[in-house]
Amino acid sequence: MDTQIRSAVWKILNAGLQLTPDALSFLKEYENCYEIAEKIIEKVNAMKEKPLCITKEFLEKIVGEKKRIKENENSFSLQITGSKRFKPLAAEIQEDIEVEFDPTEKIKSQGNVEDFLSYFRDRFNKLRKLFIKRRDLKNIVTSKTVFNRGKKENISLIGLVSSKNETKSGNILIELEDLEGKVNVIIPSRKPELIKKASKVLLDQVICIEGTINNGFIIADNILWPDVSTQHMPHRAKEHIRAALISDTHAGSKQFLEDCFMKFIRWLQGKVGNGKQREIAGQVKYVIIAGDLVDGIGVYPNQEEELKIKDVYEQYEMLSKYLEMIPEYIKIIAIPGNHDATRQAVPQPAIPENYARPLYDLSNVIMLGNPTKIKLHGVRFLVSHGRSIDDLISDVPNLPKNNPAEAMKLLLKSRHLAPQFGKTPIAPETTDWMIIDEPPDVFHAGHVHVNGQANYRNVTIINSGTWQDQTSFQKSIGLIPTPGKVPIYDFNSGDILLLNFKTE
Ligand code: D5M
Ligand code: FE
Ligand code: ZN
């Protein structure tokens, strides 16, 4: 059965309605059968006595009304283009995918204390190397050698932040730890700019302090993060293709916006949008999904009340029914989030095949772990679900809630995807796979359900938003999601176009 009619029938059945065979044949004749299905449900919902079965006569009435409505509508998401030919450029272009890092096969942790020791040792060593590579640091010392230096000498100490406190006089006291010991650093209250910088210092981050020695302390002159080089040059592709960046579909949730997601798929199929919008659809070669594919089950207390589908296998099945409708020449890359059926601690292996079989069965879907590094046509993508963004927004003063890209900037600066231990759960792998060893060209995350974009030292930062409407939990914490917005990344120019599929 054609995918359009399949989704229309799926929608009707899901609403608890049946179609007579006549009605089914009638519906099949219409290219906009999905919109007709929406209208059927809307109509039935408005009826006092609801029919159990939708007949051909019922449909004929609706189609008449539908035609009239279409003439008055001109919004992007509802525009029907009829039978104009769609010739997608991306179908002519060969895929070019290189998975540079996928944690799935690397994961080994047994979860004991020694593992955590090696984990933090690895974090420190790798980030220290990044600092040393910068070559702008003078007189690098260690916790052991620092006090051999003279009082007036400027020194640089690299260490992991093991504590941070404000003293009564308004100084900030940071304890830095390296492989040899610990040193106390004072950020003096008389330097307000430095105090402001210190507010961005997180526990367990590896930072560098520049300063001088006084009475067994380091008095800080500056705080540095491993950061991204100002010389970072992004890679661009010669092909005029694009990627649609999405996340947090939350299939199975009562708040999953099926119609909105369906509009997105119909746009990818070249079935909605004006000429320019359809041309852009035809350039989409990749859809990247940054986690929370399904809503899961038992993720938070009383989640059942918020679920339309209470079985995680069926949730993946439902998502696959949608993804199946995406043209096959478009490659779909999906990683897990904290709602998916894989371990919660990062790095997360890909969702196992036994949970998400229908997704693995789609020939154009590639299932990877969280985080993932992937090179598409030479352009480097770092894709991570982004749970730690929450931690940063709650702990760093003045980080905006309505643009998660600002928090993502700080992750890039710290060259780490989950700096704070004891927040986003981290698995005690002996290697720290959450380090951003190479700055990517595109840093894509989700999780916060709020769309946002930024550019930081030539890295394009994108938080893709969600397809789930506000849940009662989100309402209780004042989170206003931005569902249905899709950033479209242009591989050739590096530009982002934001499309809105939400029907108001
Ligand atoms: O997360 C969706 C959004 O909801 C994200 O911004 C975090 C927020 N969220 C989710 N669970 C919690 C708890 N327990 N406390 C505070 N904030 C939360 P998602 O991963 O889709 O559930
Ligand atoms: Fe989510
Ligand atoms: Zn999430």
Side-chain angles (χ1 to χ4, degrees):
M1 212 192 298
D2 170 59
T3 50
Q4 295 304 314
I5 181 75
R6 198 191 310 206
S7 59
V9 172
W10 166 267
K11 190 166 178 66
I12 292 169
L13 297 181
N14 253 340
L17 299 168
Q18 308 250 347
L19 280 168
T20 64
D22 261 7
L24 179 62
S25 316
F26 180 85
L27 194 60
K28 274 183 184 168
E29 298 300 313
Y30 284 81
E31 206 202 348
N32 61 342
C33 54
Y34 187 81
E35 274 81 9
I36 297 173
E38 282 178 333
K39 192 74 197 163
I40 296 171
I41 293 162
E42 194 185 301
K43 188 103 186 159
V44 170
N45 284 343
M47 289 164 82
K48 263 200 187 130
E49 275 186 36
K50 302 185 194 330
L52 275 181
C53 226
I54 303 299
T55 60
K56 186 181 168 197
E57 290 68 37
F58 188 89
L59 282 187
E60 278 170 344
K61 263 196 212 154
I62 284 182
V63 170
E65 281 176 33
K66 192 84 190 154
K67 269 188 193 145
R68 282 202 303 278
I69 293 166
K70 286 292 157 238
E71 282 158 19
N72 296 327
E73 277 170 353
N74 201 24
S75 76
F76 167 75
S77 48
L78 281 178
Q79 209 171 38
I80 303 295
T81 50
S83 58
K84 266 186 266 163
R85 256 184 80 206
F86 180 57
K87 209 166 168 291
L89 173 100
E92 313 294 322
I93 290 174
Q94 185 63 34
E95 76 219 48
D96 179 1
I97 305 173
E98 193 186 317
V99 178
E100 293 190 303
F101 172 72
D102 171 19
T104 312
E105 302 303 324
K106 310 257 191 224
I107 284 165
K108 296 190 188 83
S109 90
Q110 303 297 311
N112 56 39
V113 177
E114 280 92 76
D115 286 338
F116 272 119
L117 286 178
S118 9
Y119 170 81
F120 280 111
R121 214 170 286 139
D122 189 61
R123 174 185 293 199
F124 173 77
N125 284 331
K126 289 212 171 99
L127 292 173
R128 184 172 201 275
K129 269 195 198 138
L130 288 183
F131 270 118
I132 290 173
K133 250 177 55 191
R134 289 172 48 151
R135 298 211 199 113
D136 59 342
L137 302 181
K138 290 181 200 75
N139 291 329
I140 299 177
V141 292
T142 66
S143 63
K144 218 169 173 181
T145 62
V146 59
F147 296 110
N148 301 337
R149 301 289 178 133
K151 218 178 158 189
K152 293 256 155 63
E153 247 182 291
N154 289 313
I155 53 95
S156 304
L157 177 73
I158 301 161
L160 190 134
V161 179
S162 48
S163 76
K164 181 181 143 185
N165 294 294
E166 198 179 327
T167 66
K168 278 191 199 127
S169 50
N171 295 329
I172 291 178
L173 196 63
I174 289 176
E175 189 183 52
L176 272 194
E177 186 174 355
D178 64 11
L179 298 180
E180 296 163 6
K182 291 179 178 180
V183 181
N184 284 310
V185 177
I186 296 175
I187 319 286
S189 60
R190 66 187 143 81
K191 294 184 177 169
E193 280 307 306
L194 206 52
I195 292 280
K196 209 167 140 194
K197 252 187 168 178
S199 72
K200 297 192 174 104
V201 169
L202 300 166
L203 288 186
D204 309 308
Q205 235 174 12
V206 175
I207 58 168
C208 175
I209 297 285
E210 290 178 328
T212 48
I213 304 154
N214 195 346
N215 266 339
F217 288 93
I218 294 177
I219 313 297
D221 287 324
N222 200 5
I223 305 170
L224 302 167
W225 283 269
D227 223 319
V228 176
S229 155
T230 48
Q231 312 293 316
H232 173 67
M233 286 301 292
H235 301 83
R236 302 274 184 250
K238 58 181 188 309
E239 296 90 349
H240 288 265
I241 49 165
R242 301 183 194 243
L245 306 183
I246 65 169
S247 65
D248 299 86
T249 33
H250 288 265
S253 160
K254 280 183 186 164
Q255 314 304 330
F256 169 56
L257 294 167
E258 297 180 57
D259 299 349
C260 190
F261 197 55
M262 197 57 212
K263 295 256 150 65
F264 167 59
I265 290 173
R266 288 178 53 75
W267 170 70
L268 289 175
Q269 292 170 331
K271 298 220 161 94
V272 295
N274 61 29
K276 182 69 193 158
Q277 289 160 340
R278 290 173 81 225
E279 187 190 327
I280 292 166
Q283 292 171 334
V284 175
K285 183 72 191 166
Y286 302 95
V287 171
I288 305 180
I289 318 179
D292 281 359
L293 275 55
V294 299
D295 208 46
I297 185 151
V299 180
Y300 57 85
N302 303 322
Q303 189 190 5
E304 275 94 305
E305 290 159 30
E306 305 261 359
L307 288 177
K308 186 167 172 185
I309 301 174
K310 296 187 172 65
D311 175 312
V312 75
Y313 297 90
E314 285 177 29
Q315 293 177 352
Y316 284 110
E317 166 109 43
M318 177 206 186
L319 183 69
S320 75
K321 290 265 188 294
Y322 283 97
L323 299 189
E324 193 182 15
M325 290 185 267
I326 294 178
E328 222 177 336
Y329 64 82
I330 297 179
K331 303 297 159 202
I332 304 168
I333 295 151
I335 69 159
N338 51 307
H339 281 255
D340 286 297
T342 186
R343 83 166 177 195
Q344 286 295 295
V346 289
Q348 295 182 285
I351 304 155
E353 234 176 299
N354 64 329
Y355 282 109
R357 165 82 57 207
L359 290 178
Y360 281 88
D361 284 346
L362 298 178
S363 62
N364 55 340
V365 171
I366 302 167
M367 302 286 280
L368 299 169
N370 168 36
T372 258
K373 281 192 283 175
I374 188 158
K375 211 154 107 184
L376 303 172
H377 302 260
V379 178
R380 293 192 139 102
F381 285 76
L382 170 63
V383 190
S384 152
H385 180 57
R387 193 164 171 185
S388 68
I389 299 169
D390 276 351
D391 309 339
L392 268 66
I393 290 177
S394 75
D395 291 0
V396 178
N398 305 324
L399 269 186
K401 278 198 164 74
N402 61 0
N403 190 359
E406 291 301 316
M408 290 168 71
K409 259 187 209 174
L410 293 190
L411 293 177
L412 269 180
K413 265 175 93 72
S414 76
R415 297 286 286 267
H416 204 281
L417 292 166
Q420 296 160 283
F421 184 73
K423 299 271 178 164
T424 292
I426 299 172
E429 299 294 330
T430 48
T431 304
D432 187 351
W433 299 115
M434 303 310 283
I435 286 175
I436 305 173
D437 50 1
E438 281 275 336
D441 301 315
V442 182
F443 176 22
H444 171 203
H447 181 66
V448 276
H449 293 208
V450 177
N451 162 262
Q453 276 81 232
N455 188 291
Y456 181 65
R457 299 194 170 173
N458 284 332
V459 179
T460 301
I461 301 176
I462 299 174
N463 197 296
S464 41
T466 182
W467 298 89
Q468 186 188 38
D469 216 345
Q470 193 184 43
T471 63
S472 46
F473 172 76
Q474 289 166 359
K475 198 169 181 182
S476 74
I477 59 167
L479 187 139
I480 303 164
T482 58
K485 289 192 174 151
V486 183
I488 311 288
Y489 179 79
D490 184 326
F491 282 72
N492 185 258
S493 67
D495 292 343
I496 306 165
L497 188 76
L498 191 65
L499 295 183
N500 187 359
F501 293 90
K502 179 102 190 320
T503 322
E504 296 307 331

